[in-house]
């Protein structure tokens, strides 16, 4: 998608270097960063220079390419794979991508290993783009239905950033929106600010602006009253891990939006590629929920009047804070799962049928 009119992907590989857009600096600074070692990749995932489930998976895949360039040794590769998987605990795409890479690379001692790794990491990216585009076309049908009934702007609420910046291109939750916009359907997005990292304000609103899509940032607690007032036609969110029973783990606050949507008969959709489905875990209580540094809550970052990035403390300095990064939305609150293969009910039977 575009930034200042120029097409970008979120990650690419050039001259043995992984190139990323540093998302910790957006929207105020657009910086392309070089990742040279597997340690750089692990750090980029941890500090969220790259974030969003599909993108951290793809970045980890390239992390293994860098590991091979650094030290073409099977035990180094294995250790790097473990460290990459542990860099963030919740999004299943990370493990999915590393496992997929290791299936191709384990035990390969020939000179061909680098080429194999590069091809597989590239394939993970290309596949994600293809899947996100299909998610868009499938989700478009729902937006079209609402528009055909309403004959007026379709108001869509989203939480966090499940946009192209969270994937390689298109995004998951935003892909139906981009497709609707391209088709001339008037859409307007309510972007939840998404405290504490403000992915909704800093990333979703930013990327929608760059594509010319109308959007309004709202505080995380505003969605409820907007739904009561009939100002939300549908919600679409992304997910970091969806269990085969349809329970959805996503950015903290998603659950509260789903409850409000349920109470107000607003359809609540979750958009995801199949790489986000966890077929193994049976109970949502077993999903590891990331707890991040409380400094992300107690401090805010922005630019001052001289356009310099500043970080300031906003809490009483003696106060404790707790920063859980994700929550679980039970399947019963999910209207449907928009996948690359079509729209599924949030249930084991329906998902199994689609992904036989
Ligand atoms: O902590 P983040 O910014 O990595 O969290 C991202 C989300 O919660 C997204 O909704 C999810 O990864 C889906 S991205 C298509």
């Amino acid at each position: 998608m575009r930034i200042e009119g120029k097409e970008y992907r979120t990650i690419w590989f050039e001259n043995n270097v992984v190139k990323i857009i540093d998302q910790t600096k957006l929207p105020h600074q657009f910086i392309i960063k070089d990742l040279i070692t597997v340690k750089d990749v692990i750090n980029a995932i941890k500090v969220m220079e790259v974030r969003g489930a599909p993108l951290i998976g793809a970045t980890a895949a390239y992390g293994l390419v860098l590991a091979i360039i650094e030290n073409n040794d099977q035990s180094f590769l294995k250790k790097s794979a473990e460290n990459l998987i542990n860099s963030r605990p919740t999004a299943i795409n990370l493990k999915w991508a590393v496992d997929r890479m290791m299936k191709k690379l384990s035990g390969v001692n020939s000179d061909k290993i680098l080429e194999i790794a590069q091809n597989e990491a590239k394939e993970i990216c290309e596949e994600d783009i293809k899947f996100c585009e299909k998610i868009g076309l499938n989700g478009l049908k729902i937006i079209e239905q609402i528009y055909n009934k309403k004959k007026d702007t379709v108001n869509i609420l989203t939480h966090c950033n499940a946009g192209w910046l969270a994937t390689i291109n298109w995004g998951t939750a935003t892909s139906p929106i981009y497709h609707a916009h391209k088709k001339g359907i008037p859409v307007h997005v309510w972007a939840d600010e998404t405290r504490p990292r403000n992915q909704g304000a800093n990333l979703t609103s930013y990327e929608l602006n760059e594509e010319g899509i109308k959007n309004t940032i709202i505080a995380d607690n505003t969605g409820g009253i907007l739904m009561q007032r009939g100002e939300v036609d549908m919600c679409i969110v992304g997910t970091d891990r969806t269990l085969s029973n349809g329970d959805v783990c996503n950015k903290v606050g998603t659950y509260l939006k789903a409850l409000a949507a349920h109470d107000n008969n607003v359809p609540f959709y979750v958009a995801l590629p199949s790489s986000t489905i966890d077929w193994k875990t049976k109970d949502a209580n077993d999903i590891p929920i990331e707890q991040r540094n409380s400094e992300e809550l107690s401090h805010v970052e922005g630019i001052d009047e001289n356009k310099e990035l500043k970080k300031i403390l906003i809490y009483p300095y003696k106060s404790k804070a707790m920063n859980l990064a994700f929550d679980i939305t039970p399947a019963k609150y999910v209207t449907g799962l928009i996948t690359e293969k079509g729209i599924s009910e949030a249930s084991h039977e329906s998902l199994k049928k689609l992904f036989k």
Side-chain angles (χ1 to χ4, degrees):
M1 307 299 284
R2 288 170 299 178
I3 294 176
E4 294 191 358
K6 192 170 170 216
E7 284 285 338
Y8 284 94
R9 288 182 177 187
T10 51
I11 186 166
W12 63 100
F13 189 67
E14 213 175 87
N15 302 327
N16 285 357
V17 167
V18 177
K19 302 269 187 185
I20 57 156
I21 298 168
D22 180 353
Q23 300 194 20
T24 61
K25 299 291 186 293
L26 290 174
H28 303 298
Q29 293 175 353
F30 179 77
I31 292 170
I32 293 171
K33 190 167 176 175
D34 289 355
L35 307 179
I36 297 161
T37 64
V38 65
K39 253 195 186 153
D40 291 344
V41 169
I42 290 165
N43 182 60
I45 295 171
K46 279 189 176 161
V47 303
M48 295 170 65
E49 288 167 352
V50 285
R51 28 68 52 202
L55 180 56
I56 59 177
T59 313
Y62 273 116
L64 292 175
V65 174
L66 294 180
I68 293 167
I69 295 171
E70 228 176 307
N71 178 5
N72 187 359
D73 167 81
Q74 283 285 320
S75 60
F76 181 67
L77 191 64
K78 201 163 161 243
K79 190 75 208 140
S80 300
E82 271 167 37
N83 292 339
L84 283 162
I85 289 174
N86 293 331
S87 58
R88 284 191 82 186
T90 305
I92 191 80
N93 304 60
L94 195 51
K95 182 170 163 27
W96 170 86
V98 171
D99 286 351
R100 176 167 160 173
M101 292 289 290
M102 289 306 281
K103 226 171 159 181
K104 292 265 169 171
L105 304 174
S106 291
V108 178
N109 287 310
S110 75
D111 301 345
K112 285 254 181 277
I113 189 166
L114 181 57
E115 195 187 325
I116 298 171
Q118 255 176 268
N119 287 344
E120 195 62 11
K122 188 162 191 288
E123 184 51 32
I124 286 173
C125 292
E126 297 302 330
E127 192 181 278
D128 189 68
I129 296 172
K130 230 187 313 162
F131 286 2
C132 284
E133 188 169 11
K134 286 189 176 156
I135 289 168
L137 292 168
N138 292 330
L140 168 65
K141 293 176 204 148
I142 307 166
I143 300 178
E144 262 174 336
Q145 270 169 18
I146 296 173
Y147 178 65
N148 290 339
K149 239 197 209 157
K150 193 182 173 192
K151 303 267 182 262
D152 201 351
T153 302
V154 181
N155 288 303
I156 301 166
L157 183 142
T158 191
H159 190 66
C160 193
N161 174 261
W164 76 269
L165 289 168
T167 62
I168 317 302
N169 213 343
W170 290 110
T172 60
T174 55
S175 187
I177 298 168
Y178 288 132
H179 280 86
H181 180 70
K182 277 186 198 295
K183 235 189 148 180
I185 298 172
V187 281
H188 165 259
V189 177
W190 296 112
D192 279 354
E193 180 191 31
T194 320
R195 281 278 291 151
R197 291 292 294 248
N198 297 344
Q199 292 96 326
N202 292 348
L203 305 175
T204 303
S205 180
Y206 170 78
E207 65 163 82
L208 293 173
N209 291 343
E210 296 298 308
E211 285 293 328
I213 295 182
K214 287 192 187 134
N215 68 91
T216 308
I217 300 167
I218 50 173
D220 292 325
N221 296 325
T222 310
I225 187 163
L226 290 178
M227 291 188 217
Q228 287 174 323
R229 285 181 173 179
E231 291 183 51
V232 181
D233 296 303
M234 71 186 298
C235 302
I236 317 180
V237 299
T239 167
D240 289 79
R241 190 188 287 234
T242 287
L243 301 192
S244 69
N245 68 5
D247 287 349
V248 168
C249 179
N250 190 45
K251 180 55 55 194
V252 71
T254 303
Y255 171 50
L256 293 178
K257 292 303 130 66
L259 286 179
H262 182 76
D263 195 42
N264 291 283
N265 290 319
V266 173
F268 188 90
Y269 285 94
V270 179
L272 67 152
S274 48
S275 52
T276 308
I277 304 172
D278 178 349
W279 295 99
K280 271 200 190 136
T281 307
K282 297 285 170 248
D283 185 340
N285 293 313
D286 294 334
I287 298 175
I289 301 290
E290 181 178 18
Q291 184 164 349
R292 295 186 60 87
N293 195 320
S294 62
E295 248 201 37
E296 291 184 349
L297 275 166
S298 59
H299 291 65
V300 288
E301 203 171 60
I303 49 169
D304 65 12
E305 60 280 8
N306 301 318
K307 298 206 165 152
E308 264 177 48
L309 271 181
K310 285 255 159 73
K311 198 173 180 182
I312 55 164
L313 170 74
I314 54 166
Y315 285 0
Y317 77 92
K318 282 186 185 168
S319 294
K320 265 198 194 161
M322 191 212 207
N323 185 11
L324 286 177
F326 298 94
D327 65 19
I328 313 286
T329 299
K332 64 181 173 185
Y333 298 122
V334 177
T335 310
L337 302 169
I338 309 171
T339 76
E340 73 270 15
K341 290 224 173 166
I343 297 164
S344 169
E345 275 173 20
S347 73
H348 188 75
E349 302 71 57
S350 181
L351 271 176
K352 197 87 197 276
K353 214 164 132 194
L354 208 56
F355 291 98
K356 258 197 297 246

